[in-house]
């Protein structure tokens, strides 16, 4: 998660994407060029703490569904 009001160098975004993980970031210059909303991560308007919380819950719920699906495939 990168809740910046502005961003200069986006190493953490690039490293997260390189690991195949979704990025949660504020929609500021730099992140909007790298993160595709609902594709490679989630973008939230800056200074929107409720939006960040919602994005985190969304990712957590998706992770749990994927984990449940993976475990059901292993035990089959």
């Amino acid at each position: 998660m990168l809740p910046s009001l502005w961003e200069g160098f986006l190493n953490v975004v690039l490293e997260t994407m390189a690991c195949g993980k979704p990025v949660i970031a504020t929609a500021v210059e730099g992140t909007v060029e790298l993160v595709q909303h609902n594709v490679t991560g989630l973008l939230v308007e800056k200074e929107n703490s409720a939006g960040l919380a919602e994005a985190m819950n969304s990712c957590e719920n998706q992770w749990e569904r994927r984990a449940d699906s993976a475990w059901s495939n292993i035990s089959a």
Side-chain angles (χ1 to χ4, degrees):
M1 183 172 63
L2 187 68
S4 299
L5 297 177
W6 62 272
E7 192 57 48
F9 204 65
L10 301 168
N11 275 344
V12 72
V13 171
L14 295 172
E15 291 169 354
T16 302
M17 294 171 83
C19 291
K21 303 295 183 190
V23 175
I24 300 172
T26 47
V28 296
E29 186 176 348
T31 57
V32 295
E33 287 80 17
L34 291 177
V35 180
Q36 293 178 312
H37 185 66
N38 286 325
V39 177
T40 57
L42 300 172
L43 291 171
V44 178
E45 292 300 318
K46 65 181 179 178
E47 299 181 11
N48 182 354
S49 57
L52 282 172
E54 185 178 321
M56 288 187 291
N57 285 331
S58 174
C59 278
E60 181 180 19
N61 292 338
Q62 289 177 17
W63 178 262
E64 288 175 3
R65 283 193 298 271
R66 289 179 189 161
D68 289 344
S69 175
W71 280 113
S72 66
N73 289 333
I74 290 171
S75 62

